[in-house]
Amino acid sequence: MMKRSTIVGMAVMALILSACGQGGGGKAAAEGDMAIGAAEGAKVTVVEYASTTCAGCAAWNEQVWPDFKAKYVDNQKVRFVFREFPTPPQDVAVAGFLIARCAGEDKYFEVIDHLMRSQADMHSGAAPRDVLLRTAQAAGLSEAEFKTCTSDKAAIAALEQRIRQASAAGVTGTPTFMVNGQIVNDKSLSGLSAHIDPLL
């Protein structure tokens, strides 16, 4: 579990970055949930705890998410919930999540997808701030709005609370998937389907 000092440190790093240029793991909704697909109360709710700086999350986003989305989300069979759980470099992940929320609910998943796909750019030497700013601008935010967004103390405090909720639900790493509150270790489409299909 992350200590408060670590989380506060993440928030401070998010502030520095910008200056440079109640729920749980179950089927019930948690404060701040971002969801697509079926409406709340659906037979099946799949929760992904992920980070925009997690290589495994980016791989799942690229290799599994398109087929998962087509099979379960686009046709409203499953409610898919994305919950934020920043991983190193945490300052970059925190800033990314703040940008996604500032972009608005209608663009949230688009921004998350863009950030996942941008990991390769950062690994090849692109400055994280440049990647984050480019992502924010693609979502319609100005540089001034980007700076305001990534230094919003209330938004950082809300993210801190969501991290505590995830830790309380037993999340220790990313990506972590839960189907109706049960952790599923096999993150492949077939592995997730084996837990989802009997519930539909």
Side-chain angles (χ1 to χ4, degrees):
M1 180 181 290
M2 292 184 184
K3 294 182 179 178
R4 180 174 176 80
S5 59
T6 302
I7 297 169
V8 171
M10 289 162 43
V12 170
M13 287 304 293
L15 292 171
I16 292 170
L17 183 69
S18 68
C20 293
Q22 323 232 59
K27 193 173 175 182
E31 185 70 29
D33 273 355
M34 300 304 286
I36 53 175
E40 191 173 338
K43 284 184 181 178
V44 179
T45 296
V46 176
V47 176
E48 178 190 10
Y49 291 89
S51 175
T52 56
T53 54
C54 154
C57 302
W60 190 88
N61 182 72
E62 180 181 350
Q63 299 164 12
V64 182
W65 170 243
D67 292 333
F68 181 91
K69 184 172 181 285
K71 184 175 182 179
Y72 295 114
V73 179
D74 293 340
N75 54 18
Q76 312 287 307
K77 284 186 176 180
V78 161
R79 179 173 178 81
F80 180 81
V81 177
F82 185 96
R83 291 182 182 161
E84 302 151 347
F85 196 78
T87 57
Q90 288 156 331
D91 56 328
V92 177
V94 167
F97 287 139
L98 295 173
I99 291 165
R101 287 184 177 267
C102 286
E105 287 189 28
D106 59 327
K107 294 181 180 177
Y108 179 87
F109 283 93
E110 180 182 325
V111 171
I112 293 297
D113 179 71
H114 189 279
L115 291 167
M116 293 288 190
R117 294 178 186 279
S118 295
Q119 282 188 35
D121 294 339
M122 287 186 271
H123 291 155
S124 62
R129 185 183 187 278
D130 292 344
V131 173
L132 290 165
L133 177 58
R134 190 164 60 241
T135 301
Q137 290 174 330
L141 300 176
S142 67
E143 184 166 3
E145 289 171 325
F146 164 76
K147 289 180 178 179
T148 300
C149 174
T150 53
S151 59
D152 183 334
K153 292 181 180 179
I156 292 169
L159 175 57
E160 185 179 329
Q161 176 60 22
R162 292 192 294 276
I163 295 166
R164 283 197 295 267
Q165 290 173 344
S167 295
V171 177
T172 58
T174 57
T176 292
F177 289 87
M178 295 185 181
V179 175
N180 285 1
Q182 300 299 311
I183 291 179
V184 176
N185 292 316
D186 185 344
K187 303 167 181 64
S188 67
L189 182 61
S190 60
L192 289 165
S193 294
H195 286 79
I196 294 168
D197 292 350
L199 302 174
L200 293 175

